[in-house]
Structures are given as structure tokens and as C-alpha cells.
Amino acid sequence: MKVPSPGAIGILVDIGLSVGGFVDVLLLPEQAEQWPAEGTITDFEVWWADSRQQVRLKPSDPHYVRKDFAGFAARVRPSWPADIGQPVRDGGSATAQELCRYLMGKSAAECETRVRAWGV
């Protein structure tokens, strides 16, 4: 695995395919010191795969996953892990409102107000 500099977006994982693996910072522990170090060999689960030339991964080892993963997954992917083995829908890019709702846990109304304030 390789941690891109400065490591603020996530980690790259060599999965032995023509496409790369990637673990988003949102799935990793809050403290970068708790992320797997470059060269670490560990297991991953496929978190997401779509038309991007990258397989999104989730570390299998709970030490490498954010503490509140269950709550995060309930907000972002409520059907996880029932999605395992199912075809993945390519939903395209998320809107600013969708990101607000999923990542910040805010209501649609709160996000609409925030997005307008951000000028997005």
C-alpha cells in the first residue's frame, strides 16, 4: 500500500489488477498515525466499484477503520453489508447537498441552507 503525500485524501492499495485500490480518508481512523503504514500487508473488503478506474476499499482490520464506522455506514450506505455480491450501480458524482447529508449527517433542509451559503 502507498500513502499519497500529504496523505490527506486516503491511501492507495496495490490489488494486483490493472486498476488501483483506494481507501478513502472517510473510512480511516481520524488520526493519520493509526492508518496502515506504507508497505503494510492486510485484508480489505470492496466498499465500492463503479466506472472510475479504481476499486474503493474498506480495511477488514477494525484497527484501520474509523471508530464510528457502523454509524457512518448507516448514513452513507444503509444497505451495507447486504450489498455484498450485488451489482454496483454507478450513481455518478454526488451533489453538494448529498455530500452534506451523508458526511455531516444533516437534514435535507439544513443542507440546502448550507449549500446556498457555500455558493455551490
Side-chain angles (χ1 to χ4, degrees):
M1 112 182 24
K2 185 173 182 173
V3 179
S5 188
I9 57 167
I11 55 177
L12 301 171
V13 179
D14 180 356
I15 57 175
L17 299 172
S18 61
V19 297
F22 180 76
V23 181
D24 194 289
V25 67
L26 296 172
L27 298 177
L28 295 166
E30 192 172 310
Q31 301 299 318
E33 300 81 45
Q34 296 173 338
W35 296 6
E38 187 169 334
T40 299
I41 297 174
T42 190
D43 293 325
F44 296 91
E45 300 171 45
V46 174
W47 174 251
W48 193 259
D50 56 28
S51 61
R52 290 175 280 195
Q53 294 298 302
Q54 199 172 63
V55 177
R56 299 294 176 129
L57 303 169
K58 174 195 160 295
S60 296
D61 186 333
H63 292 102
Y64 297 140
V65 179
R66 63 186 291 153
K67 289 180 185 171
D68 68 338
F69 177 75
F72 174 79
R75 284 192 318 273
V76 176
R77 293 216 30 217
S79 58
W80 175 265
D83 291 339
I84 295 173
Q86 300 299 312
V88 178
R89 175 186 72 83
D90 185 353
S93 300
T95 66
Q97 285 185 347
E98 289 171 326
L99 289 173
C100 175
R101 284 196 314 269
Y102 294 136
L103 303 180
M104 300 173 79
K106 304 294 182 187
S107 71
E110 288 175 292
C111 286
E112 186 174 332
T113 302
R114 286 177 181 257
V115 169
R116 268 189 269 133
W118 294 334
V120 178

